[in-house]
Amino acid sequence: MEMFGDPAIWLPFAFAGLMGLSILIYVVLDGFDLGVGVLTPLADGKEKDMMIASIGPFWDANETWLVLAVGLLLVAFPAAHGSILTALYLPCVLLLVALILRGVAFEFRAKSTGAAHKRWNLVFFIGSLGASLAQGFMLGLYIMGLKVTLATVGFAFVAALALSASYAFIGACWLILKMEGELQWRAVAWARRGLFAMIGGFAIISVVTPLVSERIFDKWFSFPEIILLSPLPIAAAAVGLILFRLLERSPMEGDRLSWAPFALASVLFILAFAGLAYSFYPYVVPDQLTIYEAASAPESLLIILIGALFVLPVILGYTIVAYTVFRGKATKLTYY
Amino acid sequence: MDTLILSRIQFGANISFHILFPTITIAMGWALLTFRLRYVASGDERWMAAYRFWVKVFALSFALGVVSGITMSFQFGTNWPGYMQTVGNIAGPLLAYEVLTAFFLEAAFLGIMLFGFNRVPGWMHILATVLVAIGTTLSAFWILVLNSWMQTPQGFEMIDGVAHATDWFEIVFNPSMPYRMAHMLLASGLTCAFLIAGISAYRILIGDQDREPRMTFRWSVWVAAALIPIQIFAGDQHGLNTLEHQPQKIAAMEANWETGPNVPLLLFAWPDEAERRNDFEIAVPHGASLILTHSLSGVVPGLNDYYAEDGTALHPPVAALFWSFRVMVAVGLAMLALAWFGAFMIWRKGGTTLLNPWLLRGFVAMSFSGWVATLAGWYTTEIGRQPWLVQDVLTTEAAVAHHSTGMVASSLALYLAVYAVLLIAYVAMLFILARRAAQGSLPEEPERSGAATVAVAGE
């Protein structure tokens, strides 16, 4: 095993894996709570409160995965962190402002009444949508190799819409799990529409990605890769079909399978993420900088890795505890 | 204005906004734990009411701290790429440990702390409170380790212009770390104590006489009175440490131009950096020598010693340091006077009679005095490191990203607008919460006593 002999090889690989895992967990977890935020204008006052109550105990910890992902990029691949974030300066600023507004809106809307309450609801929606759009825009520009032209920015806007729709979709699936009665029915309707938007968006991204980069095209469409990789799109299509059929019959009697749309939506996210990760490996800055070139010194990486190996299982453990404490249908939340 | 100046203002604005909230939450985590445990020990519902009231303030401060903290972690990459490229091997692991050990701990257990009282057993709610308090403190620990290392770097070697760690023990326990840590944790304790005292006093003044504000007021005045002499001692020790390791910072704080003995303490002066002298000096003879060396004739470093070969100044901007240091000390002394006077009044009256309204008004006026002192102290230490980003290793100028001026200016304007709105909203919300709590009924009817409910607010 040559690869595991040389720390300058396996350490960057391990960190790319950890970073990928953080991004994936972030996209699924904060994805659903951002998505719930995007859906709030479709609901009336009481329903909004219920929807936001369903994510209240979780959003903070969910967002921490973004900090970990950016943190790992920062500490493990400092050269890439600089060039990616300077290239994405404006969407980064917008993302941050959106996350700030949304994060504080949770607190302020809970403590205000009347017109102020409505205003903070609006801030909450704008923050959720803004953060989703900014993340999609960043993804789109990243796929385009961080180059800024009319065409790449146009594509980035499409990606922004696609990711926002996907977040709204997984948010709706979360609501199917956490809501009852009328609101659950409406969540099913939202999820049905969201599924099409997500599949459409990701189809566009899947078609365009290999077309912009010859390297990515070759990685997918040469023999035998095309055979070995075929399970990925086939699985995605199958999950999409199952979801479609499932949503047609939801919500089921006795709340049966109400967890399934969210679980399957997560699987769709994982498959899409796996496809992107495969496309870009070993580059961290597309076609410019590989993870091996961008990595920090091995001795620093080793120090972090030791800590991460002890701490990550603990984090996963207490994340599960938190989700267990607040399991079941959402109820109104009070501060005690 | 050029990109460097704008980026510095932007980073300064971000960190100034950010630091306000950890400064509150670090100590408030422990204050909440105290309230929670006193409730268990005494069975007195008022301690639980205090917990319920202040946990809302904690949650609000925490949310603002988290979102502005995320901004900081992006800023390194968007505006200061040279920082991580040069010292990433050292800053990286420290920041990673902050996220791994502290950030997740507080974020995950905050949910249980805020909303879990009726869902989990009492011991688990207390445990969540303990873990959140530990998390915020650990978070401060890692950040201050990194910040101290930037001031007094050691335990590394430079290879091809990139810092490589040679001794992690030396990096973590760098010479200024213990002093900075003590000074900051005490600053947090004082900021939190004055905030609790101020808002409690406000509630008492508007008629909330019989319930928990009296208990929290007394408690926080005692805490403030006890902490402030310790803080003055810690600050003095911190200054001596700075004199040893960053004499040019001390020279700028004192606006002292020539190295020499018998240096006076300037109470007022207008430092003129172009002429390299001070105007309008009002001074206490031998004062600076006495404070800094604990001897009337001690030698104090002067700014004129800090020049590069080509004549550029290698000392920090003098006026900014001179004034921010004096603001910190002045606010600190005002806090000392008020806290001790308040403690004396409470002791004399034994807490049985009504407190003097003017004393209460004094505490309301000083509710945010901790913020002023902390910011002034933070400017002293951070501007005092200039022109270095990492002392003697990396200049601020070498780390900046070369964006167009317009891009940095527009992002700066956006941040400033958001921060201004949020700061006003935050302070207003504290007083709204206090008013609502004071007007509300007894704690047995929590929803009307202003207990913010995520789901049913607005009813």
Side-chain angles (χ1 to χ4, degrees):
Chain A
M1 292 294 276
E2 186 97 326
M3 186 173 163
F4 292 99
D6 182 0
I9 301 295
W10 70 263
L11 271 171
F13 188 79
F15 273 89
L18 279 178
M19 193 172 78
L21 189 65
S22 310
I23 295 175
L24 178 61
I25 296 176
Y26 172 76
V27 167
V28 171
L29 293 186
D30 211 31
F32 84 70
D33 70 51
L34 286 168
V36 169
V38 170
L39 293 170
T40 48
L42 302 175
D44 66 28
K46 264 234 181 342
E47 291 176 335
K48 275 197 213 345
D49 292 339
M50 280 311 281
M51 287 163 71
I52 297 171
S54 79
I55 55 178
F58 308 113
W59 74 273
D60 204 343
N62 292 348
E63 208 162 291
T64 306
W65 291 98
L66 176 67
V67 181
L68 184 64
V70 175
L72 284 173
L73 178 65
L74 179 77
V75 303
F77 309 106
H81 179 262
S83 67
I84 292 173
L85 291 191
T86 39
L88 297 175
Y89 189 84
L90 289 179
C92 265
V93 173
L94 291 176
L95 170 66
L96 292 169
V97 169
L99 286 178
I100 289 173
L101 290 176
R102 175 176 181 274
V104 301
F106 271 105
E107 292 297 327
F108 281 116
R109 69 178 292 287
K111 296 176 177 60
S112 57
T113 50
H117 187 66
K118 286 214 171 70
R119 258 201 308 280
W120 284 112
N121 274 343
L122 183 66
V123 169
F124 181 73
F125 164 68
I126 292 171
S128 303
L129 182 64
S132 309
L133 288 171
Q135 285 176 16
F137 188 89
M138 290 159 83
L139 172 70
L141 216 57
Y142 182 85
I143 290 172
M144 293 285 120
L146 301 173
K147 293 185 208 52
V148 176
T149 65
L150 202 61
T152 59
V153 170
F155 175 76
F157 274 111
V158 174
L161 292 175
L163 193 71
S164 305
S166 310
Y167 282 176
F169 165 64
I170 197 171
C173 292
W174 169 260
L175 292 174
I176 295 174
L177 170 62
K178 299 297 274 190
M179 296 297 143
E180 298 166 292
E182 165 84 4
L183 194 50
Q184 194 181 29
W185 278 97
R186 302 183 61 186
V188 170
W190 297 333
R192 277 184 207 146
R193 272 174 277 166
L195 179 62
F196 285 112
M198 168 161 176
I199 289 175
F202 275 85
I204 295 173
I205 292 174
S206 308
V207 170
V208 173
T209 307
L211 293 181
V212 259
S213 167
E214 209 172 306
R215 188 185 57 79
I216 293 175
F217 188 90
D218 289 343
K219 275 187 92 169
W220 282 90
F221 299 104
S222 51
F223 195 79
E225 281 83 352
I226 192 164
I227 306 287
L228 295 173
L229 288 166
S230 58
L232 207 56
I234 292 171
V239 173
L241 198 65
I242 296 170
L243 258 169
F244 178 72
R245 298 297 298 270
L246 186 68
L247 289 172
E248 272 188 334
R249 291 160 202 202
S250 293
M252 295 183 198
E253 209 173 310
D255 209 39
R256 213 159 50 82
L257 289 180
S258 68
W259 53 271
F262 184 73
L264 289 171
S266 306
V267 173
L268 266 190
F269 271 72
I270 293 168
L271 292 171
F273 184 84
L276 283 173
Y278 172 78
S279 296
F280 286 101
Y281 178 81
Y283 287 92
V284 59
V285 182
D287 294 335
Q288 289 174 38
L289 200 59
T290 67
I291 54 172
Y292 307 107
E293 294 159 351
S296 294
E299 68 272 11
S300 292
L301 290 180
L302 201 59
I303 286 275
I304 306 172
L305 188 64
I306 293 167
L309 289 181
F310 278 101
V311 175
L312 278 177
V314 180
I315 292 175
L316 283 172
Y318 60 59
T319 304
I320 292 168
V321 170
Y323 274 83
T324 314
V325 167
F326 296 101
R327 71 187 175 280
K329 295 296 176 189
T331 49
K332 72 173 192 185
L333 289 175
T334 54
Y335 274 119
Y336 39 85
Chain B
M1 285 212 262
D2 61 8
T3 308
L4 176 62
I5 293 288
L6 286 170
S7 294
R8 285 176 67 180
I9 294 173
Q10 179 165 314
F11 198 77
N14 279 324
I15 204 161
S16 299
F17 183 73
H18 174 69
I19 199 180
L20 300 175
F21 304 103
T23 304
I24 289 174
T25 53
I26 293 164
M28 199 171 277
W30 298 104
L32 286 169
L33 181 64
T34 311
F35 298 164
R36 187 70 180 77
L37 292 175
R38 291 189 81 154
Y39 166 65
V40 175
S42 66
D44 187 338
E45 276 294 332
R46 286 179 295 176
W47 285 115
M48 198 57 213
Y51 184 93
R52 285 171 191 159
F53 179 82
W54 286 102
V55 84
K56 278 177 250 164
V57 178
F58 182 88
L60 188 62
S61 316
F62 191 87
L64 281 155
V66 169
V67 292
S68 56
I70 292 176
T71 314
M72 313 273 350
S73 70
F74 275 83
Q75 288 261 313
F76 291 131
T78 51
N79 293 74
W80 305 98
Y83 176 70
M84 288 309 282
Q85 276 157 24
T86 310
V87 298
N89 286 327
I90 288 156
L94 299 178
L95 289 169
Y97 270 83
E98 198 233 334
V99 175
L100 286 172
T101 60
F103 217 82
F104 273 102
L105 198 62
E106 35 191 54
F109 283 101
L110 187 67
I112 296 177
M113 186 173 157
L114 289 178
F115 309 120
F117 186 71
N118 290 331
R119 287 185 178 242
V120 298
W123 64 266
M124 197 169 171
H125 188 244
I126 293 171
L127 181 68
T129 310
V130 173
L131 290 171
V132 169
I134 292 176
T136 48
T137 311
L138 263 180
S139 181
F141 170 80
W142 290 113
I143 288 301
L144 287 171
V145 164
L146 174 56
N147 186 267
S148 299
W149 182 83
M150 289 161 66
Q151 307 268 354
T152 51
Q154 64 171 27
F156 68 103
E157 58 179 344
M158 298 299 287
I159 302 171
D160 300 326
V162 173
H164 286 257
T166 54
D167 185 338
W168 281 102
F169 188 85
E170 279 200 4
I171 290 169
V172 172
F173 296 94
N174 64 75
S176 65
M177 188 279 275
Y179 300 95
R180 207 175 300 280
M181 193 74 60
H183 203 43
M184 182 66 213
L185 293 182
L186 287 163
S188 171
L190 282 166
T191 304
C192 178
F194 269 85
L195 183 69
I196 295 180
I199 300 288
S200 302
Y202 178 73
R203 282 180 60 182
I204 298 170
L205 277 172
I206 58 175
D208 212 354
Q209 285 285 355
D210 310 322
R211 292 184 298 132
E212 81 276 9
R214 286 173 63 82
M215 295 163 79
T216 49
F217 179 75
R218 280 207 300 274
W219 181 81
S220 55
V221 171
W222 285 122
V223 169
L227 287 184
I228 199 145
I230 307 176
Q231 175 69 312
I232 290 171
F233 175 74
D236 178 57
Q237 295 297 307
H238 186 26
L240 297 184
N241 179 265
T242 307
L243 178 65
E244 188 183 338
H245 295 279
Q246 295 174 295
Q248 75 281 17
K249 187 192 282 187
I250 293 289
M253 281 156 67
E254 298 299 336
N256 185 41
W257 298 95
E258 280 301 328
T259 302
N262 308 320
V263 174
L265 176 68
L266 302 177
L267 296 179
F268 183 92
W270 196 258
D272 183 342
E273 223 169 304
E275 297 289 324
R276 313 201 63 72
R277 64 181 171 83
N278 302 324
D279 297 325
F280 316 112
E281 281 188 8
I282 299 171
V284 178
H286 304 285
S289 286
L290 181 65
I291 289 173
L292 287 164
T293 66
H294 297 185
S295 144
L296 285 173
S297 57
V299 175
V300 174
L303 291 160
N304 288 338
D305 292 355
Y306 297 95
Y307 273 97
E309 305 239 317
D310 62 1
T312 50
L314 286 181
H315 61 70
V318 183
L321 235 60
F322 180 83
W323 282 113
S324 50
F325 179 62
R326 266 150 195 75
V327 168
M328 178 187 78
V329 171
V331 174
L333 291 175
M335 291 166 90
L336 175 74
L338 185 65
W340 279 21
F341 181 64
F344 171 74
M345 295 287 279
I346 292 172
W347 170 73
R348 209 185 53 168
K349 304 225 171 177
T352 47
T353 44
L354 295 183
L355 289 155
N356 181 325
W358 282 104
L359 177 72
L360 294 172
R361 280 179 202 133
F363 274 98
V364 175
M366 294 278 278
S367 297
F368 296 95
S369 54
W371 275 5
V372 180
T374 304
L375 280 180
W378 200 244
Y379 294 150
T380 308
T381 201
E382 295 301 289
I383 300 174
R385 198 185 48 229
Q386 303 303 324
W388 301 102
L389 189 57
V390 180
Q391 183 79 42
D392 300 324
V393 174
L394 175 69
T395 61
T396 309
E397 194 176 355
V400 75
H402 297 287
H403 295 295
S404 72
T405 318
M407 203 152 87
V408 182
S410 49
S411 62
L412 174 60
L414 190 60
Y415 280 127
L416 287 179
V418 170
Y419 290 160
V421 169
L422 292 181
L423 205 56
I424 294 166
Y426 176 83
V427 173
M429 185 52 80
L430 290 193
F431 286 96
I432 290 171
L433 284 176
R435 262 207 304 283
R436 224 184 276 163
Q439 287 160 0
S441 51
L442 292 166
E444 289 83 68
E445 291 174 63
E447 261 159 48
R448 289 197 47 228
S449 71
T453 54
V454 166
V456 294
E459 291 181 344

